[in-house]
Amino acid sequence: MAEQKVEFELVSPEKLLLSQAVDMVVVPGGDGDFGVLPRHAPMISTVRPGVISVYEERRAVSQRLFVSGGFAEVTPERCTVLAVEAEPLEEIDRAATEQALKNAREDVADAKSEHDKAVAAKRVNVLEAKLDALSRAN
Amino acid sequence: MASLKELRSRIASVKSTQKITSAMKMVAAAKLKRAQEQAEASRPYAARMARMLGSLASGSRGGQGPKLLSGTGKQDVHLLVVATADRGLCGAFNANIAREARRDIERLKAEGKTVKVLCIGRKGRDALRRGHADVIIDTLEDVSKPRPSFEKSDEIAQRLLAMYDEGEFDVCTLYYAQFKSAISQIVTRQQLVPFAAPEAEATGDEAQAVENKGMVYDYEPDEETILAELLPRNLAVQVFNALLENNAGEQGARMTAMDNATRNAGEMNKKLTLLYNRTRQAAITKELIEIVSAKEAM
């Protein structure tokens, strides 16, 4: 059988970020990371803040992208990730992220309503995951 | 007949109007390009979201499901979200959306339902205020300034969700114009709450839809959790999509309208110049005749 690939697509509300055939992708699912190889069983999952690793050319990670959450749809031929926000790991500015995290933490402390607090706390979560991803990559 | 002076000032005013309209056309054309790119870039997300929801919705049919999917069981209070532009001078763009909304308001009123209207964009409010001022609950202005952002759409969606949780409406429909081309925008009516799966054709790939039908998905963590997250998100995405389409449509409509206006001004200018020259000649001829006949009389 000819070598199969997964059609991987990463879309954010603004645009289609990535669309290519790859060997494997590892997606940070809501219940833990999962890898998608060709002929994966159909599945729909939530995505938690974390890093998507794209594998091309057998076992070599070709791209790492940070996503701040979203959804993934997997079919035997395709893997589609609907991200809230996404950016390549190497493009993340560490200092800016740390600053944003600090601000977000202050927002949690200053939040007046339950809703504001929840929003800010979510933001903190995302940013912590982003920093975590950064320190792990380096 | 108009005097020469009057004609001269008419010509001058038509010319300066033409300058303004042609400048507006140019600006609209430049903005259109950006807006169109943005609208087209956001389509894949919306399409895939719809596909995912479609398969989820068909999978969980029969079960209770979240309120956003199954509705409140009533159809008494309708919320109409009418998205239009904030500015005019774009042909019939705003009027078309407003007309569609108005027709539905009247129909729903006739059926004895309670109607509420949330306007996004000043022009829609202005058009609906005549006759239906009582049903407009609020107007959001300058949402798409400087350009539509997902955060803003999310805010609108959150507001809709809060209202829905309070039981302030049963059915929510969004009105906007889908961008087809610079000369054609299609007024679209989209039901947001409860969620209505779009037809397969709307997502663009029919083969895909067929292929998906037979597929049974695994859900992780589980259907309810995903639906609970996906449905509010879908709301924001649909609003965002509508704003983008509207933005592109508005610029397109303005470009076409201003192109027509420029052409009309050119035509008018031509006619007026002709009239001006004729009048001038007539005046000269008259003077000559006067001189000649005066001479002859002497």
Side-chain angles (χ1 to χ4, degrees):
Chain A
M1 192 174 71
E3 215 177 307
Q4 276 196 331
K5 296 232 177 195
V6 190
E7 290 293 331
F8 176 64
E9 280 180 320
L10 179 62
V11 266
S12 78
E14 274 87 16
K15 63 176 182 196
L16 188 65
L17 285 160
L18 201 65
S19 174
Q20 61 183 148
V22 298
D23 282 333
M24 178 171 92
V25 277
V26 175
V27 181
D31 282 354
D33 293 8
F34 59 87
V36 180
L37 285 162
R39 306 211 290 164
H40 193 287
M43 172 174 91
I44 291 177
S45 168
T46 53
V47 173
R48 66 181 160 78
V51 176
I52 293 183
S53 308
V54 180
Y55 290 75
E56 268 173 296
E57 306 294 320
R58 307 188 170 275
R59 288 173 188 274
V61 180
S62 61
Q63 277 190 75
R64 288 178 192 277
L65 301 118
F66 178 82
V67 286
S68 62
F71 306 91
E73 182 199 26
V74 181
T75 68
E77 304 85 26
R78 280 180 294 118
C79 173
T80 312
V81 175
L82 302 179
V84 183
E85 283 167 48
E87 57 183 319
L89 215 52
E90 55 265 29
E91 280 174 24
I92 297 176
D93 182 353
R94 188 175 191 114
T97 313
E98 272 164 3
Q99 185 57 42
L101 178 59
K102 220 175 108 201
N103 291 344
R105 283 203 173 117
E106 277 163 17
D107 285 349
V108 175
D110 298 343
K112 287 185 184 69
S113 68
E114 278 303 305
H115 177 72
D116 287 354
K117 198 163 185 164
V119 169
K122 210 171 159 191
R123 187 95 205 117
V124 169
N125 255 341
V126 169
L127 289 166
E128 273 172 354
K130 205 174 192 173
L131 276 181
D132 185 46
L134 268 185
S135 45
R136 243 185 259 184
N138 299 329
Chain B
M1 194 184 275
S3 77
L4 279 179
K5 196 170 172 217
E6 268 168 25
L7 276 173
R8 242 191 329 261
S9 72
R10 273 298 298 281
I11 291 172
S13 96
V14 169
K15 267 190 183 158
S16 65
T17 308
Q18 186 180 23
K19 267 184 202 148
I20 295 171
T21 54
S22 86
M24 278 183 81
K25 179 192 150 196
M26 239 100 84
V27 171
K31 283 188 179 166
L32 169 68
K33 208 162 159 257
R34 286 204 62 153
Q36 192 179 352
E37 273 165 18
Q38 234 194 336
E40 273 161 11
S42 85
R43 277 182 191 159
Y45 192 90
R48 283 174 181 85
M49 184 72 116
R51 198 175 64 198
M52 220 147 126
L53 263 176
S55 70
L56 267 166
S58 60
S60 75
R61 199 158 286 158
Q64 268 300 306
K67 226 167 46 146
L68 277 171
L69 187 65
S70 56
T72 50
K74 288 180 292 180
Q75 292 221 324
D76 297 339
V77 186
H78 286 252
L79 177 72
L80 274 56
V81 182
V82 184
T84 55
D86 278 316
R87 317 234 261 129
L89 285 180
C90 46
F93 179 76
N94 292 317
N96 284 343
I97 303 176
R99 189 182 47 215
E100 197 71 20
R102 188 195 313 257
R103 198 159 26 195
D104 279 2
I105 293 173
E106 272 150 22
R107 182 174 53 83
L108 289 167
K109 271 187 174 169
E111 284 171 18
K113 316 259 192 210
T114 314
V115 183
K116 292 177 178 177
V117 176
L118 177 68
C119 292
I120 304 177
R122 232 182 330 259
K123 285 291 159 188
R125 179 204 59 187
D126 291 351
L128 292 176
R129 202 159 45 179
R130 288 190 295 272
H132 298 289
D134 50 323
V135 294
I136 298 181
I137 50 170
D138 201 6
T139 310
L140 306 168
E141 290 178 13
D142 293 331
V143 174
S144 302
K145 226 172 175 182
R147 71 184 66 114
S149 73
F150 190 73
E151 284 85 57
K152 269 271 196 269
S153 324
D154 202 32
E155 271 171 39
I156 297 170
Q158 293 302 335
R159 181 164 171 185
L160 293 178
L161 284 174
M163 284 176 68
Y164 190 60
D165 284 340
E166 300 278 313
E168 283 182 44
F169 62 86
D170 299 315
V171 179
C172 175
T173 319
L174 177 68
Y175 292 80
Y176 68 100
Q178 200 185 7
F179 178 80
K180 264 268 147 36
S181 72
I183 44 169
S184 143
Q185 299 87 31
I186 301 158
V187 179
T188 313
R189 186 193 295 116
Q190 188 178 16
Q191 186 170 322
L192 292 178
V193 181
F195 173 75
E199 283 116 50
E201 174 208 27
T203 56
D205 33 14
E206 270 175 74
Q208 211 95 67
V210 175
E211 173 208 315
N212 277 6
K213 280 230 171 85
M215 199 119 54
V216 183
Y217 284 94
D218 280 339
Y219 300 103
E220 197 178 307
D222 55 67
E223 257 176 270
E224 274 78 59
T225 320
I226 295 178
L227 269 177
E229 272 193 54
L230 200 54
L231 284 169
R233 183 130 189 93
N234 179 56
L235 210 57
V237 169
Q238 299 304 345
V239 173
F240 184 51
N241 197 33
L243 288 183
L244 285 174
E245 296 276 347
N246 251 359
N247 196 28
E250 180 198 344
Q251 300 304 344
R254 177 165 300 130
M255 196 178 93
T256 322
M258 287 302 118
D259 188 42
N260 282 337
T262 309
R263 225 195 325 263
N264 285 344
E267 245 164 62
M268 198 158 177
N269 190 16
K270 229 188 243 165
K271 264 190 215 151
L272 283 172
T273 314
L274 197 66
L275 185 61
Y276 172 75
N277 286 339
R278 277 225 189 103
T279 319
R280 196 171 55 94
Q281 254 174 354
I284 294 169
T285 316
K286 209 175 111 202
E287 258 174 55
L288 274 177
I289 291 171
E290 270 165 15
I291 293 169
V292 170
S293 52
K295 182 104 200 274
E296 258 163 31
M298 274 199 292

